[in-house]
Amino acid sequence: KAGVTQTPRYLIKTRGQQVTLSCSPISGHRSVSWYQQTPGQGLQFLFEYFSETQRNKGNFPGRFSGRQFSNSRSEMNVSTLELGDSALYLCASSGGLALISFRTDEQFFGPGTRLTVL
Amino acid sequence: QQQVKQSPQSLIVQKGGIPIINCAYENTAFDYFPWYQQFPGKGPALLIAIRPDVSEKKEGRFTISFNKSAKQFSLHIMDSQPGDSATYFCAATKETSGSRLTFGEGTQLTVNP
């Protein structure tokens, strides 16, 4: 099975611009979660999408948004970029059945997109 | 209430040693505690996980010890190898909250040959 794919792998933007990152989950997985990883704040949960609906959201400003398509692929968008948005953005996919089975599905992480804001 | 505190920040051991990484959580609603291993340039990968109905779980050379009353859990790596050099993250979640993980700050482990 192919793993989680994230594109692009590296991105350089300037302050004020917006950016869209893409994530293709493992085939058959319905849940996609996004995390921001920085040296100072570590790994922080952004949001989770399941069957095209956002079902969990972290404590990030509204500049961070996402969506999920019918094929489970997901995109996240950051508008009006700030220097502090420079980070590794990780996508994780899982079967997404946790709310049904009450057993947490294993999450598989992609390699991430390294965003640098200048 | 959502924090998971991890220590130490970095750890250096000799090959064959037993590094121990500790985590403490605050939210008593957490009921699933995974550990992730991350190599440079890669995303985190699930190593081992435990639920609070057991006090210890072993998978190969990796062992999780769990103390529910103290709200603490730890990872032990037996017979550590240079290939175990990586960053380790503990995490916690409430199983019915979907896929939202709260991570510890990470421990950079170096195993010298």
Side-chain angles (χ1 to χ4, degrees), chain A residues 9 31 33 35 37 43 45 48 56-57 94 99 102-104 106-107 109-110, chain B residues 32 36 38 41-44 46 51 89 93 95-101 103:
Chain A
R9 291 292 311 277
S31 168
S33 299
Y35 292 83
Q37 185 174 22
L43 279 151
F45 174 80
E48 179 201 3
N56 263 307
K57 188 177 189 304
S94 71
L99 291 182
F102 296 98
R103 305 294 281 183
T104 299
E106 178 178 351
Q107 292 191 57
F109 282 83
Chain B
Y32 179 72
Y36 284 83
Q38 185 177 28
K42 304 283 188 182
L46 180 66
R51 292 182 171 87
F89 294 93
T93 188
E95 288 213 82
T96 54
S97 68
S99 299
R100 178 178 187 152
L101 291 168
F103 283 90

Side-chain angles (χ1 to χ4, degrees), chain B residues 18-31:
Chain B
I18 306 175
I20 300 172
I21 304 170
N22 300 297
C23 285
Y25 63 98
E26 299 174 356
N27 188 345
T28 54
F30 288 148
D31 55 10

